[in-house]
Amino acid sequence: MPPSPKDSLQELRIISAQLGRNPELVQGAGGNTSIKSDGLLWIKGSGRWLADAEKADCFVPLELQPLLEAVQNGHEDPASFALCRELCPPGLRPSVETSLHAVMPQACVLHVHSVSAIAWGVHPQGRVLLSERLKGLPWHWIPYVRPGLPLTAEVSRALERAPADVLVLANHGLVVAGESPREALELLREVESRINIAPRPFPVADIERLKRLTEGRPYRLPQDPRCHAPALDPESLRLVSGGTLYPDHLVFLGPGVRLLPDTPLDVEERAPLLLVPGRGMLLHESLSPTAEAMALCLALVGQRLHMGVVPCYLEQEAEWALLNWDAEAYRKSLNS
Ligand SMILES: [Zn+2]
């Protein structure tokens, strides 16, 4: 007997929470999951944390057919057009990546910001190098375009050429799909084991010096000691400070990262994240929990970026398009 719609959603909630607790896959409100069942697409709400999927109402129902038609007709906001209002928990808005989930034909879609996938996704030869690792799996490399409708259009074009269960999104992350949450999770595990990059080790942060730098200033130390890595590993420092690597960094922490000489902080300093070379990372005290999760993401990605390469950073135009995009502004406002 096929699982009931309620069972599939419950299975998705359990798996989503599991993914959401792993910062190597999901950071803060990033990433999203969905299930198609009984004519509805249930997708994580914008700004919600997958980690909370079991505890709170995080999933938004949409009418799948009207949603697909709206996407095909170029409707500028297909998700709100197809919202199933009578079942939607109050205050929830569908994820900005809803249309991408809709155009994947599989019942369950898991989209994660896997730090290994991001490291491959910014590598200039990432597509070629992954071809070997993902051999035998139906997959596509999707060149970077802005999340939302432009990304959906790019994915639709790729799926027209050949069906796929795995999408590596350049400068962004990973999408896997299956006929049930369990099947999609199995595939995600398989892909992650094939693309896994062991993080480079890094020296210990100079906590005492960092504390002294913040005295009387609106800065604090990050909670997770792994955040300090890019300031302590010279190759990471070079790689992460050369530009913006992926959208969520820009949206939550601004373009690039700010390096700070090892001197007392300027009172005027407002950067959300500071790297003090040889010492560690400092965060502005106003930073939201999601923004702090993005700071950890940067560190985890940095330790996996390939040494000696020049990563493909987002171009200035791409940065501008993200910063002027309403949906991301909304998501950011939820976490401020
Ligand atoms: Zn994403």
Side-chain angles (χ1 to χ4, degrees):
M1 209 168 57
S4 75
K6 220 175 142 197
D7 289 346
S8 314
L9 185 57
Q10 183 54 21
E11 191 182 40
L12 182 69
R13 287 160 70 98
I14 294 166
I15 284 173
S16 299
Q18 197 182 323
L19 299 177
R21 286 191 292 265
N22 181 353
E24 292 180 12
L25 292 176
V26 169
Q27 307 81 22
N32 35 66
T33 60
S34 72
I35 186 92
K36 301 177 189 83
S37 175
D38 232 15
L40 294 176
L41 169 81
W42 291 86
I43 182 147
K44 191 204 75 163
S46 181
R48 299 301 157 124
W49 291 45
L50 283 175
D52 295 333
E54 275 184 285
K55 295 182 283 182
D57 265 338
C58 292
F59 288 87
V60 181
L62 298 111
E63 304 276 358
L64 182 57
Q65 206 46 43
L67 173 62
L68 281 170
E69 282 164 20
V71 172
Q72 272 152 15
N73 294 334
H75 194 291
E76 62 181 31
D77 189 3
S80 64
F81 174 78
L83 191 64
C84 179
R85 291 179 201 278
E86 59 271 33
L87 293 178
C88 187
L92 273 196
R93 198 170 119 147
S95 158
V96 295
E97 282 159 327
T98 298
S99 53
L100 166 66
H101 289 249
V103 301
M104 304 277 298
Q106 299 87 343
C108 177
V109 176
L110 309 175
H111 166 46
V112 292
H113 295 160
S114 142
V115 293
S116 288
I118 295 175
W120 288 111
V122 301
H123 192 295
Q125 279 90 44
R127 180 185 204 143
V128 174
L129 296 168
L130 281 181
S131 300
E132 192 52 42
R133 293 189 173 230
L134 296 177
K135 207 180 215 162
L137 293 178
W139 79 286
H140 286 301
W141 169 274
I142 307 291
Y144 177 78
V145 281
R146 198 201 79 192
L149 294 176
L151 177 57
T152 301
E154 197 69 34
V155 167
S156 295
R157 275 194 290 276
L159 295 177
E160 273 166 30
R161 287 198 304 275
D165 296 327
V166 179
L167 306 173
V168 176
L169 311 178
N171 296 82
H172 186 159
L174 181 66
V175 177
V176 298
E179 287 315 316
S180 68
R182 178 69 37 203
E183 193 185 301
L185 180 66
E186 290 299 313
L187 181 58
L188 175 61
R189 286 189 178 136
E190 167 76 17
V191 172
E192 278 292 308
S193 75
R194 291 197 196 195
I195 68 171
N196 178 54
I197 303 171
R200 276 191 301 281
F202 60 94
V204 179
D206 187 347
I207 301 295
E208 287 314 307
R209 178 69 189 152
L210 288 172
K211 281 184 180 162
R212 278 205 300 282
L213 285 172
T214 60
E215 275 166 18
R217 302 286 181 267
Y219 280 86
R220 61 180 173 84
L221 272 67
Q223 287 184 22
D224 192 312
R226 287 175 292 178
C227 286
H228 298 298
L232 304 167
D233 171 22
E235 186 61 358
S236 265
L237 190 66
R238 175 186 76 79
L239 291 158
V240 305
S241 61
T244 305
L245 291 163
Y246 48 91
D248 274 9
H249 178 89
L250 179 80
V251 168
F252 290 98
L253 295 168
V257 292
R258 175 119 158 67
L259 300 188
L260 190 82
D262 189 5
T263 55
L265 288 173
D266 190 322
V267 243
E268 295 301 315
E269 184 61 72
R270 297 226 191 293
L273 176 159
L274 297 168
L275 291 178
V276 189
R279 307 295 184 183
M281 180 188 280
L282 292 174
L283 302 176
H284 198 273
E285 63 183 14
S286 65
L287 227 54
S288 71
T290 282
E292 181 157 2
M294 297 307 163
L296 175 60
C297 181
L298 182 75
L300 296 177
V301 169
Q303 293 314 102
R304 288 164 175 83
L305 291 174
H306 297 77
M307 293 177 77
V309 302
V310 177
C312 303
Y313 299 106
L314 294 184
E315 289 178 7
Q316 238 175 6
E317 266 174 46
E319 291 191 341
W320 187 89
L322 280 165
L323 290 171
N324 290 283
W325 179 29
D326 280 359
E328 287 291 357
Y330 168 79
R331 191 166 76 172
K332 198 172 176 190
S333 75
L334 277 181
N335 286 282
S336 60

